[in-house]
Amino acid sequence: MKELMVRAIYCEMLGYEASFSYIHAIKLAQQGTALEKRVGYLAVSLFLNESHELLLLLVNTVLKDLQSTNLIEVCMALTVVSQMFPKDMIPAILPLVEEKLNHPKEIIRRKAVLALYKFYLIAPNQVQHIHNKFRKALCDKDPGVMTASLHIYLQMIQENPEGYKDLTTSFVTILKQVVGGKLPMDFNYHSVPAPWLQIQLLRILLFCSTIFLCRDVAALCIHCYCIQPLSSFPAILYESAKCIGNFVLSLKINLKYLGLKALTYVVQQHPKLALQHQMTIIECLDHPDLIIKRETLELLFRITNAQNVSVIVEKMLDPFLKIMLCCCIIYTLFIVLILFSYEEYTYAPDNEWFIETMSTVFSVGGDMMQPDIPNSFLKLLSEGFDSVEEDRKLRLFAVDSYVSLLQGEPGKLPQRFLQVISWVLGEYSYLREELEAATVLRLLAKLLDMKSTSSETKSWVLMAMTKLCEGGAGVSVTQEVCETYGSSLDTVLRQRAQELQHLSQDCELRARVLPRGAGLEPLEVDSSLSFLDGFVSEALAAGAAPYKAPHQRQEELAQAKALSLEPYGLSLPISMSSCSIADRQSPTLLSVSSGLSTTLKLDGVKRVWGREGYLSEREPVEESAHVEVPSPLQSPSQQGEADSSQSQTLTPIPTPQPEQEKQQLASSLFVGLGSQSSVCLMGKSESTTQRFRRKAKDLAVSSLEQTSQLSQGPAAANGICDVELTGSDMSETSPTLIRDNGVVAADPAPHEDPDKLKDLCLRTHLPAEFSGLCHSEITPLCTNQTLDFSACHLQKEDSLALVVFIYNSSDSDIQEILLELDSDELEVSCVCDSPVQEARSHSVAVCQYSLTVKRPSVHVEVVGTASYQFPAGTPHSAQFSYKLPLTSFIRPLTVSTEEYGAMWLDFSHDTKQKLTLISDGQEPLTDTLNVLKKKLQLHVVEIIGMEGIVACRLLRDQPCLMHCRLHAGTLSVWLRSPVPDLPDCLMYHCQRALQEH
Amino acid sequence: MYKNSINFMLLFSRQGKLRLQKWYVPLSDKERKKISRDLVQTILARKPKMCSFLEWRDLKIVYKRYASLYFCCAVEDQDNELITLEIIHRYVELLDKYFGSVCELDIIFNFEKAYFILDEFLLGGEAQETSKKNVLKAIEQADLLQEEAEAPRSVLEEIGLT
């Protein structure tokens, strides 16, 4: 059996399915002798993963083996437990594992610690109560057990850096002992004492972040090539930069990689440090390893500035590098770098350089490039910069260089580049006066003849030719092209060729359709196609069926199908096409067709009744005058009309009237009807009021800063709101807060403490509807040179509001701040009218979000990204995260005992645990429940003797019930909910609340 | 989803044949196969002079070639690459000590032993015991038990046969 199991493992590894043997693996672990057990456990741990249902069958075996007197069996059981164990079954074996922490054998203790670490990872609340035992493990006399316990501490300290400050000195002592060589020799690794242990300790200390350690840590970091801790200790950066330089220079490839990586970390904080390594870095670019190159490019990207941009770019465009770069994603990063630097403008040395670089980039990057890169390049060209003369020069140079490229060997250029070239030539070749349009046309026509040119490129070329053809010598070329492509199979090409033909013959029309140098004016496209209204109504009058949107057609089809009760009824011949019948010309079918013709004839008759009722006549609308570009004034009404014709809510429009009147009528009619336009209008009005409100607040702040007397204004306003809101269930807590507010606001010298002042300022920015609710402390999220982000949350009855404050400390206004919030556990919805905010200089913008829980977790986190742009043009972004406990989403649930009983049976997810009682008073149960009620906002339904029942809900409307019983000096708590994980999380918080008390 | 420091460990030959795989994160069979196929291809395509680190999806891959075998570890982004490389090396040292100058065939024919050693060295995605002596001691003890268990049975079998 053992051999067979080993073979099954081997088969599985080779990729063959061996699921039939899973159950046998479990059986082997259960029934076999010690050595069979070993293979059985191994097979189980390789075959099954944590969520596999067969794993439940293993629980009993594990339980038995944990109690075994055989050390090896205990070891095996602990190994498999720390590999994987079903989460729900942890309580069953937890006491046994805990007991093993005191086992005389260190190998058992070590494995038990790791098993508990695993439990901590998958269900942190289950091992809450054994934190003290971890401390014992940390002080264990065996270094192995101590090392194992560090895993747990790293995790715990990461989550709660404040809670373990007292252990910092212990960690330092351990580290000193390790470095001092106090460990047994067999922990040495190539004469370095326990490097893994050192790294682990360093990572822990990183989170403790105690600055006084700096020197020691620096020595150690370099000692064991540890780079990450370095970047967070600025004081030692200079010292370490020297060593990093040695790494980068190192011949050993792995050290080089790490050196580059470390340098990237360091450079982010002190760009100057990279300067001394500049040449080394550039040399790394020539390295044959792609990964090294990638790291180097990333590093270069970070140190680019006005002086070195041309050197760096030149180096990047080195022919040797280019070949390698083609297949590398980083290539796009690098192009973005150039574009970005050029947009700064001051960076780029000159026009020629830019155009030439871009040409090289296009011809090298070719079709691998993302399509938005050529697009943004063209946008850059057409929008231009500040000075008109510079723009002209830039375009002129582009035209020159592209003409010479086309005169060379255009066949080698990638398609994307050809598209760019043809666009530029079409748009700007008139700038070069001595260049004849005919020459350019001939060059372009040459492109069309090439076999390698794709049809997409051809249509770009044809478009360019349409812009260029202007009588004269070019006529013959255009004529030829039109003839060739006028009959092309590709419809797009044929369309372009037709356009070219018509426009080349009609000069006037051409001038109107394609005005020269009109690139700057935004083109308005009438997407509703309202200019076709006349045509449509004529066709309707002639008896054509009204247009139906595809979805509508489908719907009707489905309806027709559903209603057709007779499968072989008349519907069959009608659905046949008359065309096929005519083709066949068989006498039997002809009779059918004659029957058909009666129904077909109906189409010729004027339609008066449609599906929706009476179809009113619509007069042809004469709008041919503004075919292409409708003026903005008229567009809303036109849109309205188009809506009406499309959606078929045919509101009767009275017979001919002067046009203007009709438009007025239409606009007034459709404002209410068209859902889109009405929303848009409302949105606008809202935004204006809000802006007004914001301005008012700005005023309030400035007055606050000036005199303290005036600052009582907002506070007083708050007070009024509070009185109105005392009916809410928050009334218990809010009065104290009001008092707080009042005191702070009336503080005669708010200037003393800038933080306090800031907090106060922000507080006054809280939207008016929140002024009565208790809000959390306003915590700063992130800060950069210009913007300060801070946030607080407010508990409302049916939601949790998150308010983000953006304080602009610069002297210029920042127009568009796009704030995006996201969370794994929460649903975030924006309450403001738009996610885009503007922050005026030295004032605050406020964004409001409403949060509800999607998936319960002990702590939930919102991650936000703010992207904004300075007036000068560079885009910036800032990231932050905001952490909330689950308790802020918990509200009392008022139910009666009967309702509680009914609900209790329905809920499927539960958890049980014993908690400590608060036993200082007369009635421990009542006292404990009151504490929970106060801290977690639970609702105590009833207390009957030794038992109590409590109910709460998680926003929004996810109930959780709690049953408590006094038992032998502890409180056994049983939580039930329809939501998975909610009982676990709530149990954690209950435990916390009682511990903190 | 929680995070281990080591997500998985793969051993494969120069021909791309998997020799050992250990997963410390719960993944479905299909995902495992896809990941190992992808990684084996990427790593085999790299030249001997290139560095031992790869950035792959959101993980860091640390690999090293010993004779015809590639040892490959996937760690979280914030983990230290070099120390992971040393973990691989320590594992190779352990194998070497146990088998006595280990070769690929040792691992093919005794791969369950290789797993046992790995289980004593790494547990649940973290280094369990870094002392070479301790790991080997634990393995030897378990092996001793195995021999003891085997010995009486063979005697019984003999009796049964005679």
Side-chain angles (χ1 to χ4, degrees):
Chain A
M1 193 65 198
K2 185 190 123 203
E3 271 306 300
L4 292 176
M5 196 48 66
V6 170
R7 268 162 221 205
I9 298 175
Y10 200 75
C11 289
E12 187 95 330
M13 187 166 69
L14 291 181
Y16 302 104
E17 175 100 20
S19 52
F20 59 87
S21 59
Y22 292 177
I23 186 71
H24 296 288
I26 291 179
K27 267 163 75 183
L28 197 64
Q30 191 172 10
Q31 293 161 351
T33 59
L35 81 126
E36 284 176 335
K37 225 181 226 314
R38 197 177 175 203
V39 176
Y41 272 129
L42 175 67
V44 168
S45 69
L46 290 173
F47 286 156
L48 307 182
N49 66 26
E50 233 145 75
S51 44
H52 205 287
E53 49 203 358
L54 281 180
L55 213 52
L56 282 178
L57 296 176
L58 196 71
V59 176
N60 206 24
T61 317
V62 169
L63 213 57
K64 208 178 74 200
D65 284 338
L66 280 178
Q67 286 162 313
S68 160
T69 48
N70 188 336
L71 281 185
I72 307 284
E73 279 180 357
V74 179
C75 275
M76 286 190 285
L78 282 174
T79 308
V80 85
V81 162
S82 27
Q83 290 288 353
M84 52 179 186
F85 203 72
K87 190 180 168 191
D88 317 330
M89 286 297 147
I90 290 175
I93 60 161
L94 190 60
L96 282 175
V97 177
E98 263 178 69
E99 200 179 279
K100 294 286 175 283
L101 286 176
N102 299 321
H103 201 277
K105 272 284 183 194
E106 65 272 0
I107 183 169
I108 305 263
R109 289 204 301 272
R110 195 176 66 214
K111 283 186 194 269
V113 167
L114 279 169
L116 288 176
Y117 168 62
K118 179 77 174 184
F119 293 164
Y120 181 80
L121 286 178
I122 51 183
N125 48 332
Q126 307 263 18
V127 287
Q128 275 274 314
H129 58 289
I130 40 179
H131 280 191
N132 288 336
K133 296 194 173 157
F134 292 150
R135 277 181 195 238
K136 221 180 128 201
L138 184 66
C139 307
D140 200 285
K141 60 179 186 293
D142 181 68
V145 182
M146 185 264 292
T147 316
S149 73
L150 288 181
H151 295 305
I152 300 179
Y153 276 107
L154 177 60
Q155 199 70 30
M156 291 199 296
I157 288 173
Q158 235 166 335
E159 276 160 25
N160 178 16
E162 294 301 310
Y164 300 91
K165 275 253 148 84
D166 55 324
L167 281 178
T168 312
T169 43
S170 319
F171 293 132
V172 176
T173 325
I174 297 173
L175 189 58
K176 276 186 180 153
Q177 283 174 354
V178 173
V179 177
K182 299 275 164 59
L183 281 185
M185 277 300 280
D186 53 314
F187 281 93
N188 280 13
Y189 176 84
H190 297 260
S191 73
V192 180
W196 293 282
L197 180 54
Q198 288 190 37
I199 293 282
Q200 196 75 9
L201 283 167
L202 283 173
R203 285 178 68 184
I204 289 176
L205 289 177
L206 176 63
F207 287 105
C208 294
S209 66
T210 35
I211 296 302
F212 69 90
L213 287 170
C214 273
R215 291 260 150 196
D216 268 357
V217 174
L220 283 169
C221 288
I222 294 156
H223 184 61
C224 38
Y225 323 130
C226 178
I227 38 166
Q228 269 158 329
L230 276 181
S231 53
S232 61
F233 294 117
I236 55 162
L237 277 180
Y238 287 95
E239 207 171 304
S240 53
K242 268 184 243 154
C243 302
I244 292 172
N246 290 337
F247 281 156
V248 178
L249 282 172
S250 165
L251 287 176
K252 288 209 174 115
I253 180 91
N254 287 343
L255 289 188
K256 203 189 247 316
Y257 169 85
L258 282 170
L260 284 173
K261 214 134 200 207
L263 207 53
T264 317
Y265 278 117
V266 174
V267 154
Q268 275 168 26
Q269 271 145 23
H270 296 272
K272 271 184 200 154
L273 289 180
L275 285 179
Q276 46 184 331
H277 304 303
Q278 215 164 3
M279 280 328 286
T280 331
I281 296 164
I282 297 270
E283 270 162 32
C284 282
L285 273 181
D286 294 336
H287 204 277
D289 191 347
L290 216 61
I291 297 280
I292 295 277
K293 220 171 272 199
R294 211 197 87 100
E295 289 304 322
T296 320
L297 283 177
E298 186 158 350
L299 178 60
L300 284 183
F301 182 70
R302 305 230 181 259
I303 57 168
T304 307
N305 59 27
Q307 283 94 47
N308 62 7
V309 66
S310 55
V311 185
I312 287 176
V313 169
E314 208 172 288
K315 197 69 195 172
M316 281 174 160
L317 287 175
D318 194 271
F320 178 66
L321 192 58
K322 270 190 293 194
I323 304 155
M324 296 294 295
L325 279 174
C326 281
C327 50
C328 191
I329 312 167
I330 204 77
Y331 197 67
T332 46
L333 173 77
F334 148 63
I335 290 162
V336 173
L337 168 103
I338 299 181
L339 275 181
F340 164 71
S341 64
Y342 200 69
E343 266 176 291
E344 288 274 284
Y345 205 62
T346 43
Y347 272 22
D350 50 47
N351 289 329
E352 285 94 47
W353 176 83
F354 179 61
I355 294 292
E356 265 165 17
T357 316
M358 282 316 287
S359 298
T360 335
V361 166
F362 279 131
S363 49
V364 171
D367 299 329
M368 307 274 294
M369 230 171 344
Q370 288 161 343
D372 55 329
I373 290 170
N375 283 348
S376 44
F377 171 65
L378 292 183
K379 199 164 157 244
L380 208 69
L381 267 187
S382 63
E383 281 175 359
F385 304 99
D386 302 334
S387 104
V388 182
E389 184 52 29
E390 282 293 311
D391 289 348
R392 212 186 70 86
K393 269 190 199 157
L394 183 67
R395 289 168 191 162
L396 204 60
F397 189 79
V399 170
D400 283 350
S401 80
Y402 291 159
V403 164
S404 61
L405 268 178
L406 285 190
Q407 278 161 349
E409 271 189 81
K412 282 180 183 163
L413 300 175
Q415 300 297 316
R416 285 257 160 72
F417 191 29
L418 287 180
Q419 289 165 13
V420 169
I421 291 180
S422 47
W423 189 87
V424 171
L425 288 184
E427 204 73 16
Y428 297 119
S429 64
Y430 71 92
L431 289 173
R432 173 65 68 201
E433 273 142 25
E434 59 272 26
L435 189 68
E436 276 181 44
T439 331
V440 182
L441 276 178
R442 236 170 270 128
L443 281 173
L444 288 175
K446 214 164 77 185
L447 287 183
L448 286 177
D449 295 337
M450 283 188 316
K451 277 207 183 89
S452 54
T453 317
S454 71
S455 59
E456 195 194 344
T457 315
K458 278 181 186 165
S459 69
W460 280 73
V461 173
L462 284 175
M463 278 292 281
M465 291 175 90
T466 318
K467 285 175 202 160
L468 286 171
C469 61
E470 216 177 341
V475 174
S476 62
V477 183
T478 38
Q479 213 52 46
E480 203 178 306
V481 169
C482 289
E483 273 164 28
T484 327
Y485 290 96
S487 54
S488 164
L489 281 177
D490 192 322
T491 44
V492 180
L493 279 186
R494 196 149 62 182
Q495 161 86 10
R496 297 272 173 259
Q498 291 291 342
E499 282 172 17
L500 174 59
Q501 189 163 26
H502 284 291
L503 294 179
S504 66
Q505 281 158 9
D506 192 343
C507 270
E508 256 178 63
L509 184 62
R510 200 176 138 276
R512 223 172 56 210
V513 176
L514 298 167
R516 176 156 290 173
L520 274 177
E521 287 138 38
L523 264 182
E524 252 182 74
V525 178
D526 186 0
S527 59
S528 65
L529 302 179
S530 57
F531 52 86
L532 286 175
D533 277 0
F535 178 76
V536 170
S537 50
E538 248 171 56
L540 275 179
Y547 172 76
K548 285 173 190 154
H551 65 91
Q552 200 182 358
R553 237 176 292 159
Q554 233 158 19
E555 221 167 76
E556 279 177 18
L557 208 66
Q559 266 181 3
K561 265 184 195 155
L563 287 174
S564 130
L565 296 170
E566 291 167 278
Y568 305 109
L570 259 174
S571 62
L572 186 66
I574 289 172
S575 66
M576 275 184 189
S577 74
S578 59
C579 178
S580 69
I581 293 164
D583 284 346
R584 295 270 182 86
Q585 290 198 337
S586 99
T588 48
L589 277 171
L590 266 178
S591 65
V592 181
S593 79
S594 70
L596 256 180
S597 66
T598 53
T599 56
L600 283 174
K601 257 183 201 163
L602 277 175
D603 278 353
V605 177
K606 209 168 189 182
R607 277 179 65 121
V608 185
W609 291 92
R611 201 174 273 272
E612 284 85 12
Y614 183 68
L615 298 176
S616 69
E617 275 183 51
R618 303 200 52 208
E619 286 298 313
V621 188
E622 293 184 20
E623 284 182 324
S624 55
H626 25 254
V627 172
E628 288 286 321
V629 187
S631 72
L633 240 180
Q634 287 164 336
S635 58
S637 64
Q638 281 168 350
Q639 183 136 19
E641 280 175 358
D643 278 348
S644 77
S645 67
Q646 274 174 10
S647 62
Q648 299 221 334
T649 42
L650 289 174
T651 332
I653 292 169
T655 39
Q657 271 184 3
E659 179 132 16
Q660 213 162 16
E661 218 173 299
K662 208 167 91 183
Q663 278 174 358
Q664 268 179 359
L665 180 67
S667 59
S668 57
L669 266 178
F670 289 111
V671 161
L673 282 179
S675 59
Q676 272 188 328
S677 57
S678 67
V679 164
C680 160
L681 277 172
M682 279 167 70
K684 261 181 197 164
S685 64
E686 256 179 15
S687 72
T688 47
T689 52
Q690 194 144 36
R691 196 168 298 155
F692 173 70
R693 231 182 278 157
R694 216 176 291 143
K695 263 185 191 157
K697 273 175 210 150
D698 288 348
L699 278 175
V701 176
S702 57
S703 64
L704 191 76
E705 280 166 348
Q706 280 162 5
T707 55
S708 56
Q709 269 190 327
L710 271 174
S711 69
Q712 279 170 333
N718 278 355
I720 292 164
C721 294
D722 290 329
V723 173
E724 286 169 2
L725 280 161
T726 38
S728 75
D729 64 327
M730 294 297 294
S731 57
E732 283 179 17
T733 44
S734 53
T736 56
L737 263 151
I738 302 166
R739 237 171 287 137
D740 276 3
N741 239 346
V743 170
V744 176
D747 191 347
H751 298 275
E752 282 174 6
D753 186 353
D755 278 351
K756 206 173 182 182
L757 177 68
K758 205 164 153 191
D759 189 42
L760 183 62
C761 293
L762 289 175
R763 202 175 289 181
T764 56
H765 279 275
L766 273 178
E769 66 260 36
F770 294 148
S771 51
L773 300 176
C774 87
H775 67 82
S776 69
E777 212 174 291
I778 298 174
T779 40
L781 297 172
C782 77
T783 306
N784 56 17
Q785 305 92 339
T786 42
L787 293 179
D788 284 358
F789 294 89
S790 35
C792 71
H793 61 267
L794 300 102
Q795 305 197 358
K796 293 204 288 184
E797 194 180 357
D798 56 345
S799 71
L800 188 92
L802 177 72
V803 184
V804 180
F805 303 93
I806 308 168
Y807 175 68
N808 180 1
S809 55
S810 71
D811 292 327
S812 50
D813 297 351
I814 294 175
Q815 290 289 332
E816 290 189 346
I817 304 173
L818 182 64
L819 203 61
E820 279 170 352
L821 294 190
D822 193 26
S823 169
D824 290 341
E825 302 95 2
L826 298 176
E827 221 153 80
V828 185
S829 54
C830 184
V831 185
C832 329
D833 40 13
S834 78
V836 180
Q837 289 281 338
E838 81 171 306
R840 305 198 158 275
S841 93
H842 298 293
S843 72
V844 180
V846 182
C847 304
Q848 257 187 62
Y849 295 88
S850 152
L851 309 178
T852 49
V853 178
K854 210 156 54 179
R855 195 161 51 78
S857 164
V858 175
H859 289 282
V860 292
E861 197 176 28
V862 184
V863 181
T865 317
S867 35
Y868 54 95
Q869 204 158 16
F870 284 115
T874 45
H876 280 260
S877 72
Q879 283 193 328
F880 52 83
S881 67
Y882 189 72
K883 216 171 178 184
L884 296 148
L886 193 74
T887 40
S888 12
F889 294 92
I890 292 191
R891 302 283 177 274
L893 177 68
T894 326
V895 286
S896 68
T897 314
E898 289 78 36
E899 283 167 333
Y900 182 97
M903 283 158 86
W904 180 263
L905 293 174
D906 286 344
F907 296 166
S908 50
H909 298 272
D910 66 341
T911 185
K912 280 188 213 175
Q913 203 163 330
K914 283 190 177 138
L915 302 181
T916 46
L917 265 178
I918 293 169
S919 49
D920 44 350
Q922 291 287 319
E923 289 176 53
L925 182 62
T926 322
D927 290 347
T928 315
L929 289 185
N930 278 341
V931 168
L932 289 179
K933 181 182 167 186
K934 212 171 94 191
K935 286 202 172 165
L936 303 177
Q937 296 198 41
L938 309 175
H939 172 72
V940 179
V941 182
E942 205 175 348
I943 298 176
I944 316 160
M946 305 295 269
E947 294 178 46
I949 50 176
V950 180
C952 66
R953 67 191 167 97
L954 184 71
L955 287 177
R956 139 181 329 157
D957 298 328
Q958 296 177 323
C960 186
L961 305 180
M962 181 171 168
H963 175 265
C964 316
R965 209 158 69 92
L966 221 51
H967 178 73
T970 55
L971 188 70
S972 16
V973 177
W974 192 356
L975 283 169
R976 272 197 173 201
S977 166
V979 190
D981 296 336
L982 179 56
D984 278 340
C985 301
L986 201 62
M987 187 67 86
Y988 173 86
H989 284 292
C990 289
Q991 211 166 11
R992 259 291 171 69
L994 291 179
Q995 267 174 6
E996 280 166 12
H997 184 75
Chain B
M1 179 67 97
Y2 55 85
K3 293 203 166 161
N4 290 325
S5 99
I6 298 175
N7 284 11
F8 55 84
M9 185 158 186
L10 301 175
L11 259 71
F12 52 91
S13 69
R14 218 169 40 175
Q15 288 79 34
K17 280 263 187 309
L18 218 52
R19 293 291 173 223
L20 188 143
Q21 52 171 348
K22 187 84 189 176
W23 300 82
Y24 296 106
V25 284
L27 286 173
S28 77
D29 226 34
K30 220 166 135 191
E31 285 169 302
R32 287 181 182 186
K33 276 183 190 149
K34 190 176 179 318
I35 291 174
S36 47
R37 208 175 38 236
D38 278 8
L39 269 183
V40 167
Q41 270 172 9
T42 337
I43 292 177
L44 286 179
R46 290 175 62 78
K47 298 203 174 59
K49 284 270 170 177
M50 294 180 172
C51 70
S52 305
F53 314 115
L54 276 180
E55 272 155 47
W56 185 79
R57 299 200 191 163
D58 53 345
L59 295 176
K60 268 190 212 157
I61 307 293
V62 179
Y63 74 91
K64 188 153 176 144
R65 187 179 151 183
Y66 290 90
S68 59
L69 263 189
Y70 283 88
F71 288 69
C72 159
C73 249
V75 293
E76 290 293 325
D77 193 42
Q78 74 272 7
D79 279 310
N80 190 318
E81 302 92 335
L82 271 186
I83 210 74
T84 316
L85 200 62
E86 302 309 336
I87 281 187
I88 291 179
H89 191 73
R90 181 38 68 106
Y91 181 49
V92 175
E93 279 179 1
L94 285 169
L95 289 175
D96 201 54
K97 190 91 187 247
Y98 182 81
F99 289 110
S101 75
V102 68
C103 68
E104 197 184 335
L105 283 180
D106 284 329
I107 292 174
I108 296 174
F109 288 114
N110 292 302
F111 74 98
E112 81 272 20
K113 294 272 168 55
Y115 273 120
F116 290 141
I117 298 174
L118 187 63
D119 277 350
E120 285 301 320
F121 177 48
L122 301 176
L123 193 52
E126 303 283 356
Q128 181 197 175
E129 177 61 77
T130 55
S131 153
K132 206 155 46 170
K133 205 177 79 190
N134 287 356
V135 173
L136 289 175
K137 208 167 76 190
I139 295 286
E140 269 160 27
Q141 272 174 353
D143 283 350
L144 212 63
L145 185 90
Q146 189 160 340
E147 276 159 28
E148 273 168 18
E150 259 165 13
R153 199 175 57 170
S154 62
V155 171
L156 281 177
E157 273 167 11
E158 268 172 38
I159 294 167
L161 279 172
T162 50

